[in-house]
Amino acid sequence: MKLFGYSMREILLLKLFKLGDFLIFFIFITIIILALNYYFHLPKGDYLEISHGNEIKHYSLFQNKILIFDEIEVEINMGKARIKKSNCANQYCIMQGWISKINHSVVCIPNLFKISIKSKMLSYDSTNY
Amino acid sequence: MLAKRLSKLLFKYFSIFLLLLINSCSNSNFYEHKVLIYGTILEFKFYDTNLDQANQAIDQIVDKLNDLNKKFHPWEKSLISEFNQTHQINNCDQEFIKIIKIAKNYENVTHSQFNPAIGKLIEIWGFHEDIIKGQVPDEEDINKILATQPSLNQLLITDHSISTDNASLKIDLGGMIKGLALDIAKQTYQDMGIKNVLTNFGGNIYAHGKPDKRLWEVAIQNPHNNKLLLAKLKMQPGSAIGTSGDYEKYFIHNHQKYSHLINPKNGQAFSSYSSATVLINPNENDIGIKSDVFSKPLYFSENLVETSKSLQLNHFFTTDHKNQIFISKSFADEIIWLFNEGDFIVEVI
């Protein structure tokens, strides 16, 4: 494996890295680990937001339901959701599988279609009572 | 050479990452402030507003509301409490007379389903005290007051005085004062050129402008559990929302819940509904007052379709004691329900 024309052995032998460089590597790796840890421990969501063209619709996640939007089929199964069928060529959206945690999304770009998990406790400015 | 290039590259991306991180955490465009006015919380959430200008607006609004309190507090020392004792006052200013006339107009618009002249009924139910004792009045006392048909139409109003011959008429503007406060806030923002602020006075909310490219978002409390939310909605710039319910000020006697909202038609302190919410669309007059006043006729309504038609209301819903929600079609299209599956049954009317 070569980096900027140098092999890893050459890089290590030539002592091209200084303490500051390792510090930056360390900070980056720490941030990546923290971010991944945060990503995998996100709380579960409460409802599903579906963006279809210019329309945005919301559905409770706590139900068993199949939703059909033209050529796309979305399945909700007690707390999780997935795109089950789609007419897109690569089927990447189906390969994404189930999502259940806040802010997780599946996008089907050819159909301008997106499903996202949202939480009821997030994002409101004030309470009416 | 390589290390330098790598360091530069890493430093560049690290700086961009840090900037994005700082930017994502930043909330500096918002300024929130809370004030307690006669036991009610007044909340402001300004967006992209000069801090001095926002504080100046808050001071102006608070001053005006304190002035209103001095005039309209129904049982503490005020012009209205003086009227409620003597049934005549002669030292009213123009603003006082204007507000009495507005209240009278809305009593007529709602066919007396909102009636600010039933202060005496509210008093005998024990809600004209700082600490609610929880007393159920005699039916006879209620009927005596109802027999006089108290109404602001029984007032003789001149430029500086109000009087009445009906000894059972006591004025209580509690059913519209929060809405009036929102209209005062709206006028203040317009006069000062403030563009984007959300104002919440005791649960009644007025959305002025919008924060950046999104709309103000408001959650609605679950009337059966104040720790849960019932719904969420996006408020168009210039709209206002109000809810009347039996869960904020009430007492329980012999397993029956009695709310501070008194039905002007029968003098009773309960309804088949636990809450009624109305959303008033932008560009209407007295938007704050309507958001406050119009929820009362719905709360006591026996026919929601007829009541909403008579008030020309398109956006409303009620919840009842059997966990049923009755919602207008226009509102159903805009609202996002947040309750757990099975907690409520929604019926579009």
Side-chain angles (χ1 to χ4, degrees), chain B residues 177-238:
Chain B
I177 213 82
K178 287 195 282 186
L180 183 63
L182 294 184
D183 284 333
I184 287 170
K186 178 185 174 182
Q187 191 60 51
T188 308
Y189 304 142
Q190 283 175 345
D191 293 346
M192 292 181 69
I194 291 174
K195 297 266 179 356
N196 309 304
V197 51
L198 191 71
T199 313
N200 183 335
F201 189 39
N204 286 51
I205 299 172
Y206 165 61
H208 189 73
K210 57 181 185 172
D212 201 10
K213 286 169 189 166
R214 68 177 179 92
L215 296 171
W216 290 112
E217 288 185 71
V218 167
I220 301 168
Q221 190 184 300
N222 185 326
H224 301 164
N225 185 340
N226 63 9
K227 290 188 180 89
L228 298 177
L229 297 175
L230 184 73
K232 194 172 95 166
L233 82 145
K234 291 176 178 173
M235 291 183 73
Q236 292 299 325

Side-chain angles (χ1 to χ4, degrees), chain A:
Chain A
M1 182 187 159
K2 289 202 167 188
L3 202 62
F4 295 98
Y6 293 82
S7 71
M8 289 307 286
R9 185 183 156 80
E10 280 171 325
I11 289 167
L12 289 171
L13 282 175
L14 289 168
K15 294 187 179 174
L16 288 172
F17 286 104
K18 292 180 181 166
L19 186 66
D21 302 319
F22 285 110
L23 189 68
I24 290 175
F25 276 130
F26 176 74
I27 292 170
F28 256 91
I29 288 166
T30 310
I31 290 169
I32 288 166
I33 291 169
L34 287 175
L36 285 174
N37 185 49
Y38 176 74
Y39 182 79
F40 287 114
H41 289 90
L42 278 171
K44 290 198 171 246
D46 299 300
Y47 64 94
L48 184 71
E49 183 179 276
I50 299 182
S51 310
H52 182 213
N54 293 325
E55 250 186 302
I56 294 179
K57 290 188 171 174
H58 299 91
Y59 299 88
S60 172
L61 269 179
F62 300 97
Q63 57 181 332
N64 292 319
K65 199 167 189 171
I66 302 278
L67 304 160
I68 296 166
F69 298 87
D70 299 334
E71 305 297 323
I72 297 178
E73 210 174 287
V74 176
E75 183 179 4
I76 299 175
N77 186 340
M78 294 311 286
K80 56 187 183 177
R82 65 170 174 170
I83 296 180
K84 198 178 177 188
K85 283 182 191 167
S86 170
N87 64 342
C88 58
N90 296 318
Q91 302 275 291
Y92 290 142
C93 52
I94 294 166
M95 288 177 211
Q96 293 271 314
W98 295 98
I99 52 169
S100 62
K101 291 175 178 173
I102 294 170
N103 293 336
H104 280 191
S105 300
V106 177
V107 181
C108 181
I109 293 171
N111 287 307
L112 298 174
F113 191 85
K114 182 181 151 194
I115 62 171
S116 304
I117 304 285
K118 299 282 175 188
S119 166
K120 64 176 79 169
M121 293 313 290
L122 294 176
S123 74
Y124 61 90
D125 298 293
S126 196
T127 310
N128 164 257
Y129 50 89

Side-chain angles (χ1 to χ4, degrees), chain B residues 224 272-275 317-327 343-347:
Chain B
H224 301 164
S272 54
Y273 298 114
S274 44
S275 74
F317 74 84
T318 59
T319 59
D320 72 7
H321 304 292
K322 294 171 187 162
N323 298 331
Q324 271 192 302
I325 295 173
F326 302 95
I327 186 165
D343 282 0
F344 287 90
I345 299 160
V346 180
E347 190 180 322

Side-chain angles (χ1 to χ4, degrees), chain B residues 55-299:
Chain B
N55 282 323
Q56 204 184 328
I58 292 169
D59 289 345
Q60 277 190 28
I61 293 163
V62 169
D63 283 350
K64 284 176 189 167
L65 298 188
N66 281 328
D67 191 41
L68 271 187
N69 191 37
K70 282 179 198 154
K71 288 175 184 161
F72 291 102
H73 199 293
W75 67 91
E76 281 178 8
K77 192 171 182 287
S78 71
L79 262 182
I80 277 293
S81 65
E82 189 188 330
F83 169 84
N84 287 343
Q85 296 298 320
T86 61
H87 297 101
Q88 168 139 16
I89 42 171
N90 301 312
N91 50 343
C92 314
D93 61 21
Q94 249 184 341
E95 199 204 3
F96 181 92
I97 297 291
K98 188 180 149 195
I99 292 170
I100 291 290
K101 285 181 177 171
I102 291 171
K104 183 180 157 182
N105 174 47
Y106 279 100
E107 186 196 323
N108 294 328
V109 167
T110 60
H111 307 288
S112 296
Q113 288 171 310
F114 158 72
N115 187 346
I118 58 162
K120 196 164 182 180
L121 277 174
I122 300 170
E123 187 183 81
I124 65 167
W125 274 99
F127 290 107
H128 271 184
E129 283 162 62
D130 293 325
I131 297 164
I132 301 162
K133 286 179 192 155
Q135 59 195 38
V136 177
D138 290 338
E139 279 297 313
E140 202 182 322
D141 292 338
I142 293 173
N143 290 334
K144 266 186 199 170
I145 297 168
L146 288 176
T148 68
Q149 298 180 321
S151 162
L152 292 192
N153 293 316
Q154 294 164 339
L155 286 180
L156 181 65
I157 305 172
T158 70
D159 285 348
H160 300 287
S161 70
I162 57 168
S163 59
T164 182
D165 293 334
N166 184 352
S168 292
L169 194 161
K170 287 194 176 189
I171 299 175
D172 184 331
L173 295 188
M176 68 169 246
I177 213 82
K178 287 195 282 186
L180 183 63
L182 294 184
D183 284 333
I184 287 170
K186 178 185 174 182
Q187 191 60 51
T188 308
Y189 304 142
Q190 283 175 345
D191 293 346
M192 292 181 69
I194 291 174
K195 297 266 179 356
N196 309 304
V197 51
L198 191 71
T199 313
N200 183 335
F201 189 39
N204 286 51
I205 299 172
Y206 165 61
H208 189 73
K210 57 181 185 172
D212 201 10
K213 286 169 189 166
R214 68 177 179 92
L215 296 171
W216 290 112
E217 288 185 71
V218 167
I220 301 168
Q221 190 184 300
N222 185 326
H224 301 164
N225 185 340
N226 63 9
K227 290 188 180 89
L228 298 177
L229 297 175
L230 184 73
K232 194 172 95 166
L233 82 145
K234 291 176 178 173
M235 291 183 73
Q236 292 299 325
S239 61
I241 187 167
T243 294
S244 288
D246 63 4
Y247 50 94
E248 279 293 315
K249 202 173 173 185
Y250 65 90
F251 66 86
I252 293 171
H253 183 78
N254 286 343
H255 309 293
Q256 171 71 48
K257 195 176 193 179
Y258 297 99
S259 141
H260 72 296
L261 299 164
I262 310 295
N263 188 338
K265 300 290 178 196
N266 60 19
Q268 297 304 320
F270 50 82
S271 156
S272 54
Y273 298 114
S274 44
S275 74
T277 299
V278 298
L279 176 75
I280 308 296
N281 289 318
N283 306 322
E284 289 201 30
N285 298 328
D286 305 331
I287 193 159
I289 291 178
K290 282 179 181 168
S291 74
D292 199 3
V293 164
F294 285 179
S295 57
K296 275 82 188 176
L298 284 172
Y299 178 73

